[in-house]
Amino acid sequence: MYLAYSAIDINPISRPQTSEQHEPVNNEIALRYQAYQNVCDKYSSEIAAIQKYLPGWMPKFR
């Protein structure tokens, strides 16, 4: 069953790769996280207003 699953696996992150191939993925994740932090900082007052009604709520990081 594992062989069948791995043959159709289309998720490139789960496959073993060399460190050179991981660099662009890691860089993209770092850039996306930085953008997420910037947006959270920009809309911190709106987030605080939402958290009054939904304690602990934060925007999802995708």
Side-chain angles (χ1 to χ4, degrees):
M1 186 61 158
Y2 177 76
L3 291 175
Y5 177 77
S6 64
I8 60 172
D9 185 18
I10 58 171
N11 187 357
I13 296 174
S14 67
R15 293 186 190 131
Q17 298 175 347
T18 64
S19 62
E20 296 155 357
Q21 292 172 330
H22 280 290
E23 189 65 33
V25 173
N26 290 340
N27 190 28
E28 179 184 350
I29 292 171
L31 288 174
R32 292 179 71 171
Y33 186 70
Q34 182 63 43
Y36 172 79
Q37 287 182 323
N38 290 342
V39 169
C40 287
D41 290 342
K42 182 177 180 180
Y43 294 105
S44 61
S45 61
E46 288 84 354
I47 292 171
I50 293 170
Q51 287 177 340
K52 286 181 184 178
Y53 301 100
L54 302 170
W57 179 87
M58 286 297 292
K60 290 184 180 177
F61 173 68
R62 299 183 203 162

